Amino acid sequence: MAAYLRPTTEAEALAALAHGRLTVLAGGTDYYPSRVGKPLTDDILDISAIAELRGIGEQADHWRIGATTTWSELIAAELPPLFDGLKLAAREIGGVQIQNAGTVAGNVCNASPAADGVPPLLALDARVEIADTAGSRSVALADFILGNRRTLLRPEQLLTAILIPKPAHAARSHFLKLGARKYLVVSIVMVAATLEVEAGRVSAARIAVGAASAVAQRLPLLEAALTGKRCDAKLGEHASADHLAPLAPIADVRASPEYRLDAGLTLLRRALGELGARA
Ligand SMILES: Cc1cc2nc3c(=O)[nH]c(=O)nc-3n(C[C@H](O)[C@H](O)[C@H](O)COP(=O)(O)OP(=O)(O)OC[C@H]3O[C@@H](n4cnc5c(N)ncnc54)[C@H](O)[C@@H]3O)c2cc1C
């Protein structure tokens, strides 16, 4: 019979992971649907009762989103406009029941190309904290996700937190998702943008697009093109098809590659225009 462990401290969880092969379970909203029709034979390490991994804390130079923080907890948290994009993504993850159980970290660890949390976190320059019994370290989210459902995590490791650095200037962010309908839908393409603004001009831009490559991608050429530009409703006009070069969309039941690129550019222009108008 499969084991089911539910430790209450991070140390117990890491010791259990060091001891034997276990499948980490947070909200289970990715794990259980992927097992429908199959026997539940995995030995499970349920981390949902580890209080020290829950919640969002503010430090001098970053925010820390604990590994068991749910989407609903993120939506309810008092956070600056920098987090608006991540909160918009949170409100579009499944429905309220999924947001109540599913975690931000679980979305990242599952590493789906269509994970709605990943583009806004890339646009926040997020890092992830990885721990095992030997200690912990942080790596850039962009380096953590290696491919479709593949991450840097080793079997004895836990992702313990997502770290968001504080920007140099006033910053705000946005997220737009295109699906075949408004809710409970896998994204065809989604875009996230963070702008730092100083004296009415963009001092730094971080832009990411998801569901248009195996791993969501930042668009460095567009970020460079936006830097120094006046922040107004016309900001989206600086985005062009060339800026989407890092993307490599696939054809699937939801859309063709051409449609994904076209829709991605439209969403980018809209998101930048809306962000620019708000600054
Ligand atoms: C009806 C429905 C609708 C959905 N809609 C959306 C949507 O619109 N957008 C979207 O992006 N997703 C959606 N999802 C997917 C899912 O809800 C999210 O990805 C959610 O954030 C996953 O979090 P979780 O805590 O439930 O992960 P789990 O299912 O608990 O875990 C997911 C994976 O990550 C691993 N893992 C989890 N936490 C850790 C950790 N701390 N350390 C190491 N490994 C870990 C697990 O081992 C597992 O492989 C939907 C799911 C359902 C069932």
Side-chain angles (χ1 to χ4, degrees), residues 109-122:
C109 290
N110 196 54
S112 160
D116 285 319
V118 174
L121 287 169
L122 286 175

Side-chain angles (χ1 to χ4, degrees), residues 129-215:
E129 186 183 80
I130 298 172
D132 56 31
T133 49
S136 75
R137 68 187 175 106
S138 79
V139 295
L141 175 60
D143 297 328
F144 176 73
I145 303 182
L146 301 176
N148 185 354
R149 317 267 173 190
R150 288 193 303 119
T151 71
L152 274 182
L153 269 185
R154 295 199 306 266
E156 73 277 15
Q157 293 178 324
L158 201 59
L159 188 159
T160 44
I162 298 169
L163 311 174
I164 311 293
K166 290 192 174 172
H169 302 110
R172 58 186 66 240
S173 67
H174 201 6
F175 172 85
L176 291 176
K177 161 175 171 171
L178 176 70
R181 56 175 185 258
K182 183 65 186 150
Y183 289 106
L184 275 169
V185 71
V186 178
S187 293
I188 292 170
V189 64
M190 65 285 207
V191 306
T194 302
L195 296 182
E196 290 184 36
V197 181
E198 203 189 5
R201 292 191 178 265
V202 176
S203 55
R206 290 181 285 282
I207 314 289
V209 179
S213 38
V215 183

